[in-house]
Amino acid sequence: MNQKNLEYLSDQVKYTGFGEGLENDLKGKIEQGQPEFKLQHQAQFGNDKMDALLNFSKSKQSDMYFFNSYQVSLQKENSEEKMEQTFYINKGSNITLKEAYNLMDGRSVNKDLTNKEGQIYNAWVQMDFKQSDDNGNFKLKHYHENYGFDLEAALSKHPIKELGNDDFKTNLVDSLKKGNLQSATFQNGSTEQKQYIEANPQFKTINIYDSGMQRLDNRHSKSEKQAEGESHSVKHEGKKESQTATEDDGPEIPKAANKKKKRQTPSV
């Protein structure tokens, strides 16, 4: 068995958000020498459950194994339907399991991506629930740097207490970039109120929710917004889209309003 390959894969699995609990199973599968194998993992975010199936394959030229992708099945609270999506592993950092949950829950994640020429660029990534490719995966929308979304500028338009402290501000921005729905303290004179915010790169703003997860502006509530998208959901053939991500999977997020997703390829 290639010990360095095992160590590399163990770190790759760990930093993609699956922790260290799969290390013994990973070692056992590699020792068996099969050309392909899968590992199972379960996670829970709030009351939402995720089942993941990690896919590995052996090189045809050597004894090295590769972590190729992982398939996720998301069971939302109070929903009988499951949502499925496959996330592909790249040479750089990858979409973590927590980030996958955030994307599947309708939020946007800030990524460092690599183009075909190998150049690194930054973009916000969001799932397009109205389009899926020929593999049953929802396509990804990218809002590049030149699209003009400035998260810090969007935050500065609101009386958020955490922006007055450099450390709190940094933590808030980092959490939002990972796609988290994050609590924030809104100040109104001498009154303070906890609300929840998420990045909205498409409209170059942030979404604000009250404790009941209702939008605090003139747009649809979060659940209504998702239902509207699902009512027009259609499938389109297309190629797999490359995905990269940061290693950290961010802090825990509060329970969000239930959003029903269209059932995709066979569940894992």
Side-chain angles (χ1 to χ4, degrees):
M1 183 180 65
N2 189 321
Q3 185 63 32
K4 288 186 177 181
N5 181 219
L6 172 61
E7 293 174 357
Y8 176 80
L9 290 175
S10 296
D11 285 342
Q12 198 174 30
V13 168
K14 175 182 176 180
Y15 292 116
T16 308
F18 297 98
E20 301 178 352
L22 295 175
E23 188 170 349
N24 290 334
D25 291 339
L26 177 63
K27 180 180 179 180
K29 290 289 187 180
I30 291 177
E31 288 177 337
Q32 291 177 14
Q34 298 296 319
E36 296 180 352
F37 66 85
K38 301 178 185 293
L39 296 178
Q40 293 183 329
H41 180 81
Q42 292 183 325
Q44 188 161 332
F45 299 101
N47 292 320
D48 299 335
K49 297 179 181 180
M50 294 184 75
D51 292 316
L53 197 62
L54 290 67
N55 302 305
F56 297 83
S57 64
K58 187 177 182 181
S59 169
K60 295 181 180 179
Q61 287 78 37
S62 69
D63 61 351
M64 291 185 63
Y65 279 87
F66 300 96
F67 180 19
N68 299 314
S69 64
Y70 63 94
Q71 298 163 275
V72 173
S73 176
L74 172 62
Q75 179 73 60
K76 294 287 293 177
E77 182 187 18
N78 298 325
S79 175
E80 295 181 358
E81 295 184 347
K82 291 185 178 181
M83 176 188 176
E84 284 81 29
Q85 184 81 3
T86 298
F87 294 91
Y88 299 95
I89 303 300
N90 299 278
K91 293 182 180 179
S93 53
N94 307 298
I95 290 179
T96 68
L97 185 64
K98 180 65 174 296
E99 290 170 333
Y101 170 76
N102 288 339
L103 287 170
M104 294 171 78
D105 205 31
R107 288 181 292 279
S108 302
V109 177
N110 188 260
K111 320 300 292 176
D112 283 327
L113 306 172
T114 304
N115 62 21
K116 294 180 180 179
E117 290 73 34
Q119 298 173 322
I120 298 176
Y121 65 97
N122 185 265
W124 286 86
V125 180
Q126 186 177 29
M127 279 190 178
D128 185 350
F129 295 114
K130 296 182 181 180
Q131 296 190 75
S132 56
D133 61 22
D134 54 350
N135 294 303
N137 278 324
F138 288 117
K139 291 186 176 183
L140 297 180
K141 296 183 289 186
H142 296 84
Y143 299 99
H144 299 245
E145 292 171 296
N146 57 7
Y147 183 75
F149 175 53
D150 186 332
L151 176 59
E152 292 192 28
L155 289 168
S156 68
K157 297 178 181 179
H158 302 274
I160 299 174
K161 182 178 181 179
E162 285 79 4
L163 299 179
N165 179 291
D166 288 342
D167 290 338
F168 291 164
K169 178 181 177 180
T170 297
N171 291 337
L172 178 62
V173 170
D174 288 347
S175 180
L176 292 172
K177 285 185 175 181
K178 292 165 186 166
N180 292 319
L181 182 67
Q182 185 63 43
S183 65
T185 308
F186 281 68
Q187 296 176 311
N188 183 11
S190 60
T191 303
E192 295 184 354
Q193 185 176 12
K194 284 287 186 181
Q195 296 173 345
Y196 297 103
I197 59 177
E198 65 184 7
N200 186 340
Q202 181 178 5
F203 293 102
K204 302 177 183 178
T205 186
I206 61 171
N207 297 335
I208 306 172
Y209 301 92
D210 62 17
S211 59
M213 296 312 303
Q214 294 300 308
R215 286 280 291 272
L216 298 179
D217 57 14
N218 59 1
R219 297 184 184 277
H220 298 303
S221 70
K222 198 171 187 184
S223 58
E224 291 172 339
K225 178 181 66 175
Q226 187 57 44
E228 181 183 47
E230 285 306 306
S231 67
H232 296 91
S233 181
V234 294
K235 280 194 175 182
H236 288 271
E237 292 187 355
K239 297 178 68 177
K240 298 175 182 176
E241 301 201 31
S242 296
Q243 305 160 338
T244 57
T246 56
E247 292 182 341
D248 197 334
D249 64 1
E252 184 63 33
I253 66 172
K255 182 180 69 176
N258 182 48
K259 290 184 286 189
K260 294 182 179 179
K261 306 287 195 307
K262 183 176 179 181
R263 188 177 181 87
Q264 292 299 303
T265 50
S267 59
V268 296

